[in-house]
Amino acid sequence: FVLVPLSFILIFLLVGFIQGKKINFILAAIPIGIGFHLEIAGSVAFLLFYSLIGFWAIYKKQLGFKFFVGGFLALSLFFIPHLISELKSGFSQTYSLLREFKQPEGAFSNIQFLTFTKYLLGQISQITFSHNQVVGNFLFLAFILEMVSELKKGKKLNKFVKNFSFLTLVLILITWIFFGSNNGWRDWQTVYVYPLNLVSTLLLLSQLKRSVYLLFLTVIFLSQGIVFMDRYRQSLVVSNDPSILANEIGAVDWVYGESGGRGFNVYSYVPPAVDYPYQYLFW
């Protein structure tokens, strides 16, 4: 899920931009441009977020028109391969997108704010306590109240922590508006939400008084550790789930055994629609 590291690179560059490095606004176009070659829907949210930050910076007089245009010119370079592909295919992807707007059951025929809001609440609860959403959301609320209390007492946030958390919040808000406004959302398109949320929460926790910070940190890491152990253990045991690594390796071993040293076509065994893991495991 390359959107995850791209989202962090994007946030880091924009943090630097807010702190005075204007060239970072142009550089921030790079992870967005790369994203459009990997996961277009998620990258649309990145683009809307980038545009909003640009307009906000112009309004605040933190960004000149030259750098603003430079950022979008840099971004446009990444669309050249898309344009060449469209010209060669008779604009097939463009027509597919237009159909989604026009068809009664298309991606833009309905909204799903309620579904996506439930997803985001679930993501929040998993940060603090992965095993129970009610407990997780309660702990997260307790953390927010403690943070508000500290700020009211005059607590000053570290500048990086403040900007990172602010940008993460804006990106998640834009993501909620964009994916809630249509019914085309799939969870892998917003895979960046959870890790950004987790890191932002840990950074904000580090600003609390030490005893509270260590208490929350212990709960979070114990919760995450148990989940990770369960997930990794599942991947090592053969089961009825065809996506488990142990099963995929077993399938590859069987194919090589059946071939008896002779050449074979991978696609004789693997449906092309689910071939991604096997592209790595066979070779």
Side-chain angles (χ1 to χ4, degrees):
F1 294 111
V2 189
L3 281 188
V4 174
L6 289 179
S7 68
F8 276 96
I9 293 169
L10 174 61
I11 295 289
F12 287 145
L13 286 169
L14 289 178
V15 166
F17 162 65
I18 290 176
Q19 293 178 192
K21 298 178 181 178
K22 292 184 179 181
I23 190 65
N24 276 26
F25 185 80
I26 296 176
L27 295 176
I30 296 174
I32 301 172
I34 294 173
F36 272 97
H37 292 274
L38 300 163
E39 173 48 63
I40 291 178
S43 299
V44 170
F46 285 7
L47 177 57
L48 294 172
F49 166 66
Y50 180 69
S51 303
L52 179 64
I53 296 300
F55 286 121
W56 170 80
I58 289 176
Y59 173 74
K60 289 285 188 178
K61 296 185 171 22
Q62 292 185 8
L63 181 67
F65 187 69
K66 180 176 69 174
F67 281 94
F68 182 79
V69 172
F72 282 91
L73 284 176
L75 181 60
S76 68
L77 296 176
F78 289 90
F79 287 92
I80 293 174
H82 288 295
L83 178 60
I84 294 171
S85 174
E86 287 293 86
L87 290 170
K88 286 184 174 181
S89 64
F91 295 94
S92 60
Q93 293 299 311
T94 302
Y95 286 124
S96 295
L97 179 61
L98 291 174
R99 280 198 299 272
E100 292 295 332
F101 278 102
K102 293 177 181 178
Q103 289 179 347
E105 301 299 323
F108 298 95
S109 62
N110 209 338
I111 62 173
Q112 55 175 353
F113 281 108
L114 182 60
T115 301
F116 197 64
T117 300
K118 288 179 180 177
Y119 163 78
L120 290 179
L121 289 174
Q123 296 284 287
I124 289 173
S125 72
Q126 287 183 33
I127 290 172
T128 49
F129 195 74
S130 308
H131 315 284
N132 186 291
Q133 184 168 339
V134 175
V135 174
N137 284 328
F138 175 78
L139 286 172
F140 194 82
L141 178 61
F143 152 64
I144 294 296
L145 292 174
E146 179 64 25
M147 177 60 68
V148 170
S149 174
E150 292 278 329
L151 291 173
K152 281 185 176 180
K153 293 176 183 176
K155 173 71 178 181
K156 297 293 183 183
L157 294 178
N158 172 279
K159 187 179 290 187
F160 172 81
V161 172
K162 180 181 176 181
N163 290 331
F164 185 96
S165 303
F166 166 72
L167 290 169
T168 296
L169 179 61
V170 174
L171 176 55
I172 292 173
L173 180 61
I174 292 294
T175 300
W176 175 74
I177 292 171
F178 173 66
F179 284 102
S181 64
N182 61 75
N183 62 352
W185 167 69
R186 301 293 181 268
D187 57 3
W188 61 80
Q189 297 165 342
T190 54
V191 69
Y192 55 88
V193 168
Y194 179 74
L196 280 176
N197 229 339
L198 175 61
V199 171
S200 182
T201 301
L202 292 175
L203 287 172
L204 286 170
L205 276 172
S206 70
Q207 303 297 291
L208 297 177
K209 55 186 178 185
R210 187 173 178 82
S211 58
V212 177
Y213 168 57
L214 290 176
L215 175 63
F216 273 104
L217 200 64
T218 301
V219 172
I220 288 173
F221 272 90
L222 282 175
S223 173
Q224 299 295 330
I226 293 170
V227 171
F228 287 144
M229 289 295 291
D230 288 343
R231 290 288 175 86
Y232 287 125
R233 199 161 38 237
Q234 289 171 15
S235 298
L236 300 175
V237 179
V238 175
S239 70
N240 290 328
D241 184 347
S243 69
I244 294 296
L245 179 62
N247 287 340
E248 291 172 348
I249 292 175
V252 171
D253 288 344
W254 180 87
V255 171
Y256 275 108
E258 284 291 302
S259 72
R262 302 184 304 277
F264 59 87
N265 187 336
V266 173
Y267 292 101
S268 298
Y269 299 94
V270 183
V274 291
D275 71 333
Y276 298 113
Y278 294 96
Q279 289 180 5
Y280 298 93
L281 295 176
F282 271 108
W283 316 133

